Amino acid sequence: MAVSDAQGSKLRVCALYPDLMNIYADRGNLMVLQRRCAWRGIGFELSASGLGEPLDGGAHDIYYLGGGQDRDQQLCAEDLVQGKREALHEAAARGAVVLGVCGGYQLLGESYALADEQLSGAALLDVRTVREPRPRLIGNVAIEVRLNDPEGSSGKPRVLAGFENHGGRTYLGAGATPLGRVLTGHGNDGRSGFEGARAGSVIGTYLHGPLLPKNTWFADWLIATALDIPVDALAPLDDDLEEQAHRSARRAAGV
Ligand code: GLN
């Protein structure tokens, strides 16, 4: 087992609506976090908060919301706003990571407008999503991200590769910073050239795949950010297979 500065600490992860918001094997993201902590001697605790269940904004280091069908998002949105929004704001304010993937990303925003109903979101990201009567945005996708500063505008560029499948188009407000620049694929709305959104440690992205097995460097960034330590305080791992997965996802996206 590798030893790291983080050994002895514990990563506490809470999955929101893991039974409803979990398409494209999003739970693989949670498994990657668990394994990468275990390999380094970092403790790992996974909790869940589903419909009607309480959420403690002070108890976890990462809050995770995966992808979902529109009908499942409808079920979760009201519960999220009424029962969990405040806790998520508290968590974000103290620097916990809040990660939303696809449907989860949409619900971290201000709203998701469906044909006959507008869902309110957790309002952690200044984005609005609209389900327009146009073809779904589907395919392999690669984006360039810079994560070293909270605005995402400096630092070494890195690539995230994955798969997107969304009917919603997401539009960024003045208070939102895109997570990355689209290299190939559609991104937020198929036109802007941007993908995802970020506000400090709150991150939304359309990249499924699932995201983290194909981009373990990003999993490590999330772990380090959540534990409030530098990434290089995490012991290096033998990432041969993980690198192959990353390269294969990039190749699929043509990058
Ligand atoms: N239902 C949402 C959409 O189609 C999100 C889909 C997803 O999570 N893959 O836009």
Side-chain angles (χ1 to χ4, degrees), residues 47-219:
S47 335
S49 178
L51 288 177
E53 291 173 351
L55 181 67
D56 187 340
H60 311 285
D61 307 304
I62 297 183
Y63 294 76
Y64 178 72
L65 186 52
Q69 311 281 357
D70 285 353
R71 63 175 177 279
D72 292 328
Q73 290 175 263
Q74 281 173 300
L75 285 176
C76 295
E78 196 180 325
D79 183 82
L80 182 73
V81 169
Q82 284 177 8
K84 299 179 174 64
R85 175 155 68 181
E86 221 170 286
L88 286 175
H89 279 263
E90 179 195 336
R94 63 178 175 80
V97 167
V98 183
L99 174 64
V101 171
C102 201
Y105 166 34
Q106 296 170 339
L107 292 187
L108 293 185
E110 296 286 336
S111 57
Y112 181 25
L114 299 167
D116 48 5
E117 187 187 2
Q118 169 144 316
L119 309 178
S120 293
L124 284 159
L125 294 169
D126 183 16
V127 305
R128 281 157 194 77
T129 301
V130 184
R131 188 78 144 89
E132 292 165 10
R134 292 197 281 149
R136 296 183 70 80
L137 302 176
I138 305 175
N140 294 298
V141 52
I143 67 172
E144 183 186 83
V145 299
R146 294 168 194 265
L147 292 168
N148 286 12
D149 72 315
E151 274 71 51
S153 58
S154 73
K156 188 173 162 233
R158 302 289 305 252
V159 172
L160 284 176
F163 185 80
E164 61 185 324
N165 181 355
H166 48 111
R169 267 79 173 162
T170 297
Y171 299 98
L172 272 56
T177 303
L179 173 63
R181 191 172 65 80
V182 174
L183 298 172
T184 58
H186 302 288
N188 280 331
D189 59 10
R191 286 185 291 215
S192 66
F194 292 121
E195 201 293 312
R198 178 178 175 203
S201 57
V202 180
I203 292 187
T205 177
Y206 274 115
L207 271 65
H208 283 291
L211 170 71
L212 299 184
K214 295 180 172 179
N215 302 282
T216 48
W217 71 265
F218 185 57

Side-chain angles (χ1 to χ4, degrees), residues 14 30 46 73 82 98 119 231 235-236 243 251:
C14 183
L30 300 170
L46 180 63
Q73 290 175 263
Q82 284 177 8
V98 183
L119 309 178
V231 177
E243 289 300 331
R251 260 196 311 277

